[in-house]
């Protein structure tokens, strides 16, 4: 189980949104590279970064901020937002991103995911963000008519490294992870699933470490870390102890 601290980029700043709404953004750090450094120093093993402006624009927008982070830290970075073609996938991997996350294009252009995963084994993840069980696209501005499971099953044998499943209704609101839906998805497919949206406290981390959640590959923590509701040292100690046992 990996706990990924999240850095969401808007206008070159580190923000958190509520339910993916760009109008409900809280700025937490003007310097994303410094925030990334802080997470690395706290002992996190893997960073989760989203170019929010890129997700709406359909192409990278906050590239400068991402590149500054890559130069500052040595822990691996997974990046999503505006990655809609193979050239962008390749460009980010060349710049030092460990894993790219394809979201909207996974719904609109599944062949892109299959081709990217085949070309770059283990380095392509799919981001599936659900509103009432249906997948949302274009920075969550539109909701499609397909379910998360339908999309996930398309990539069952494609070599995708992980599915990142976000419950939009909970995202940024500290309501707790939607473990029921996330575990159900993980049990229905063979691709590792990472939980996202709503992680609120150490209780969520404990729930991730229970036997019923054993198929989950990790969880993403955002606002709870910035608000101080989740103590990084306590969370990472729990995870390390669970791995030892």
């Amino acid at each position: 189980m990996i706990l990924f601290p999240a850095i969401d980029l808007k206008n070159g700043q580190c923000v958190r949104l509520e339910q993916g709404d760009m109008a409900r953004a809280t700025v937490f750090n003007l310097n994303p590279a410094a925030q990334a450094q802080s997470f690395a120093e706290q002992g996190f093993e893997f960073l989760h970064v989203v170019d929010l402006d890129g997700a709406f624009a359909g192409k990278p927008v906050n590239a400068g901020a991402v590149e500054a982070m890559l130069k500052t830290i040595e822990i691996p970075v997974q990046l999503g937002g505006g990655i809609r073609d193979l050239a962008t996938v390749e460009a980010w991997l060349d710049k030092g991103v460990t894993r790219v996350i394809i979201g909207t294009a996974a719904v609109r252009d599944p062949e892109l995911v299959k081709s990217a995963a085949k070309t770059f084994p283990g380095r392509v993840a799919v981001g599936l963000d659900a509103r009432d069980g249906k997948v949302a696209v274009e920075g969550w501005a539109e909701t499609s008519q397909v379910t998360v499971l339908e999309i996930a099953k398309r990539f069952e044998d494609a070599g995708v490294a992980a599915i990142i499943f976000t419950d939009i209704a909970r995202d940024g609101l500290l309501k707790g992870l939607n473990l029921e839906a996330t575990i159900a998805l993980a049990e229905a497919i063979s691709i590792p699933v990472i939980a996202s949206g709503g992680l609120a406290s150490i209780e969520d981390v404990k729930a991730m470490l229970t036997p019923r959640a054993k198929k989950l590959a990790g969880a993403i923590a955002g606002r709870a870390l910035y608000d101080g509701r989740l103590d990084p040292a306590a969370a990472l100690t729990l995870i390390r102890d669970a791995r030892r046992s």
Side-chain angles (χ1 to χ4, degrees):
M1 212 289 271
I2 296 174
L3 187 63
F4 297 82
I7 291 183
D8 288 356
L9 298 168
K10 180 175 186 274
N11 301 328
Q13 301 171 339
C14 176
V15 306
R16 295 305 293 166
L17 304 185
E18 293 181 16
Q19 295 182 313
D21 185 344
M22 288 290 253
R24 292 154 72 194
T26 307
V27 177
F28 280 106
N29 199 323
L30 300 176
N31 185 338
Q35 184 63 60
Q37 179 71 32
S38 170
F39 283 142
E41 287 169 357
Q42 286 165 11
F44 288 100
E45 301 168 314
F46 214 127
L47 184 64
H48 174 82
V49 180
V50 178
D51 178 351
L52 294 172
D53 300 302
F56 284 90
K59 61 181 190 292
V61 174
N62 288 287
V66 177
E67 286 166 24
M69 281 190 261
L70 292 170
K71 288 190 180 87
T72 305
I73 59 170
E74 292 183 0
I75 60 171
V77 172
Q78 65 180 19
L79 172 71
I83 300 172
R84 310 271 166 92
D85 55 51
L86 204 55
T88 308
V89 170
E90 189 163 8
W92 278 127
L93 295 177
D94 283 348
K95 283 179 178 168
V97 170
T98 299
R99 186 156 74 192
V100 294
I101 303 161
I102 299 176
T104 296
V107 180
R108 302 264 162 87
D109 183 9
E111 289 310 312
L112 168 67
V113 174
K114 291 175 183 174
S115 156
K118 189 175 171 187
T119 310
F120 306 105
R123 302 189 70 186
V124 175
V126 170
L128 296 181
D129 310 318
R131 190 181 277 117
D132 301 323
K134 298 287 198 322
V135 176
V137 293
E138 306 292 346
W140 300 355
E142 299 173 28
T143 305
S144 71
Q145 292 308 304
V146 280
T147 68
V148 170
L149 186 57
E150 283 174 82
I151 301 275
K153 280 195 174 296
R154 286 180 192 170
F155 305 118
E156 193 64 292
D157 300 313
V160 168
I163 299 272
I164 296 159
F165 172 64
T166 305
D167 182 345
I168 296 172
R170 293 170 185 249
D171 194 64
L173 297 184
L174 299 164
K175 289 182 170 179
L177 291 167
N178 185 347
L179 273 186
E180 296 307 319
T182 313
I183 290 168
L185 176 64
E187 288 176 344
I189 57 175
S190 61
I191 306 164
V193 174
I194 296 167
S196 168
L199 193 147
S201 69
I202 200 82
E203 296 309 315
D204 281 307
V205 178
K206 287 177 184 168
M208 289 285 303
L209 298 170
T210 56
R212 75 187 185 110
K214 68 180 181 297
K215 281 206 75 176
L216 300 184
I220 292 165
R223 189 175 286 267
L225 287 170
Y226 294 100
D227 280 357
R229 292 165 199 251
L230 180 63
D231 175 6
L236 292 170
T237 299
L238 265 182
I239 292 166
R240 273 193 298 270
D241 290 349
R243 282 181 192 163
R244 284 197 198 102
S245 60

